[in-house]
Amino acid sequence: MTTSRRQTSLATLITTGALCGGLLGLGREAHAAEEPEADAPPPPPPPPQSIFVAGATGATGSLVTKRLASVAPDVNLIAACRSATKAAELKLNETGATIVENLDVTDVNSIKRALKAAPGGVPTTVVCATGFVPGWNVLKMGELAHAVDNVGTKNLVDACVELGVKNFVLVSSILTNGRAIGQEKSPGFVITNAFGGVLDEKLEAELYLRKSGLRYAIVRPGGLKDAGVEPAGPIVLAAEDSAFSGEIGRDRVAEVVAEYALRTVGLSAIPMNDMPGMSMGAGEKVHTMDGFKENHVVEIIEKTSCIGDGDGCPSSPALGVDTSALKAFA
C-alpha cells in the first residue's frame, strides 16, 4: 500500500471513529435526559419550639413551669434557676423540663450561658418570673429590688436581644405605674412600694422591655396569694393601669402567664368556651381565649378581691375589660 492510500485509510478511520463517538455521546446525553431527576432533599426540620422560664424555682415561676409541663409536654421546656437542688425539692426534675442551674440575673454573662445551654439552641420564648425576696434587713431591700427587679430584668432583656430570642413574657405587678395614674397615695401602692421601692423598679424594667424590639407580653397580677387559697371570684382581665387593688392566687397567675407563653409558639391550653371562672368585668363571661395580642399589658385580679366598691373594682367603669387581650398573639 502506498503512503497516499495509507493516509486516506487512516483519515477514514479517524473520521468514522469521531462520528461513532459523537453518536455514542449523543446517545448517552439522550439517555441521561430521559432519566428522571433525583428528588430534591427534604428541607431541614424547623428548630424545636422552646420556652425558657427564668426564676423557675420561685413561688410563681415554679407554678408556671409545672403548668407548661402539664399542658404542653411536647414543648422544649427549660427551667432556669440558681440551684438544681431546690429544683429537685420542688420536683421540677419530674416535669420533663431541662434544669439549667446557676442562673444569676444580676450577671449578664450568667444569663447568656443559661440561654446557650438550652437544648435545641436559643429558646423561642423567655418567661421572666424573677423577683427579689424581702428579708429582715430593711436597709437592703432597696438594693435588692433594684438589682433583681430592675437591672436583673434588663440584663435578661439584653441577653435575649443579643442572642436572638423572639418573645418575652414578663410577670410584673399592678400599680407599677401608680405615680402616673394618681395612685401614689393609695394603700396598694404605698404598702407594696414600701418593700424597697419595688414598684418603681419594676416599672423601669417594663419600660426597658417595651423599647427593646422584642415581642412582649407584660402580665401584672394583683397581690399574690399562695396556691390553693380559695379564689375570691373569677379572674378579671383588666386594661393597663386600671386595676388599683385586688388579689389573685399564684396558681391562677401561672395559668395566664403560661397561656401567653404558649401563644408565642402557636399553642394553647385554653380552648374556646373552656375557661370557667373567667370574667369580663361586670359579670359577663369570657367565651373565648383563642389568642393574645403581642406587645400587650394585661392586669389580672380576682373579682371581689379589691378594696371597697369604688374605682379599681371590677364593677367600676374605670376597670372595664380589655377585650384586645383576647386577640391573637401572632
Side-chain angles (χ1 to χ4, degrees):
M1 185 180 293
T2 64
T3 300
S4 176
R5 287 181 179 178
R6 285 197 299 270
Q7 289 174 342
T8 301
S9 299
L10 181 60
T12 301
L13 289 172
I14 293 172
T15 302
T16 303
L19 179 61
C20 291
L23 291 172
L24 288 172
L26 288 173
R28 285 194 298 268
E29 290 174 5
H31 181 67
E34 292 172 1
E35 291 181 351
E37 294 183 3
D39 292 337
Q49 300 278 36
S50 56
I51 299 175
F52 179 106
V53 181
T57 55
T60 301
S62 60
L63 295 172
V64 172
T65 302
K66 290 176 180 178
R67 171 70 177 176
L68 287 168
S70 66
V71 299
D74 294 332
V75 168
N76 184 10
L77 180 61
I78 301 99
C81 56
R82 282 182 176 272
S83 167
T85 301
K86 186 174 181 181
E89 291 173 355
L90 294 169
K91 298 184 178 180
L92 296 185
N93 55 332
E94 298 177 12
T95 64
T98 299
I99 309 298
V100 175
E101 63 177 331
N102 298 323
L103 173 68
D104 179 1
V105 293
T106 66
D107 179 359
V108 71
N109 290 321
S110 163
I111 298 171
K112 291 179 185 178
R113 284 194 298 270
L115 290 170
K116 291 177 181 178
V122 174
T124 311
T125 298
V126 164
V127 174
C128 179
T130 58
F132 97 103
V133 179
W136 292 108
N137 189 344
V138 295
L139 299 178
K140 285 285 187 180
M141 286 198 295
E143 179 182 332
L144 290 172
H146 179 73
V148 177
D149 293 82
N150 183 340
V151 176
T153 302
K154 289 178 179 178
N155 286 342
L156 190 56
V157 168
D158 286 342
C160 288
V161 171
E162 181 177 334
L163 297 181
V165 173
K166 295 180 179 179
N167 311 298
F168 198 102
V169 180
L170 174 62
V171 184
S172 187
S173 173
I174 63 170
L175 293 172
T176 51
N177 200 30
R179 296 187 189 279
I181 58 175
Q183 294 299 307
E184 187 174 359
K185 296 181 180 180
S186 70
F189 184 89
V190 172
I191 293 170
T192 306
N193 213 43
F195 292 93
V198 66
L199 292 176
D200 295 325
E201 303 295 354
K202 285 181 179 293
L203 178 62
E204 281 201 36
E206 284 186 12
L207 296 174
Y208 194 80
L209 170 61
R210 295 170 83 151
K211 295 176 181 178
S212 68
L214 294 170
R215 298 169 70 235
Y216 67 83
I218 298 172
V219 180
R220 291 175 174 175
L224 296 170
K225 302 187 295 184
D226 289 338
V229 174
E230 185 69 23
I235 299 173
V236 176
L237 299 179
E240 179 180 359
D241 293 337
S242 64
F244 304 148
S245 66
E247 296 178 322
I248 188 167
R250 290 183 187 273
D251 47 352
R252 305 183 88 181
V253 174
E255 289 184 21
V256 176
V257 171
E259 186 66 16
Y260 266 101
L262 289 174
R263 299 296 178 178
T264 67
V265 296
L267 299 174
S268 170
I270 308 176
M272 187 178 294
N273 298 325
D274 191 23
M275 189 60 183
M278 189 68 75
S279 167
M280 289 187 71
E284 185 179 353
K285 192 78 169 290
V286 169
H287 294 296
T288 176
M289 288 188 69
D290 58 348
F292 288 102
K293 183 181 177 182
E294 66 175 291
N295 299 347
H296 185 76
V297 180
V298 64
E299 300 184 345
I300 54 173
I301 61 172
E302 291 173 355
K303 189 176 180 182
T304 75
S305 70
C306 58
I307 299 173
D309 194 30
D311 288 347
C313 293
S315 60
S316 168
L319 188 91
V321 158
D322 187 1
T323 54
S324 66
L326 306 177
K327 295 181 180 178
F329 194 125

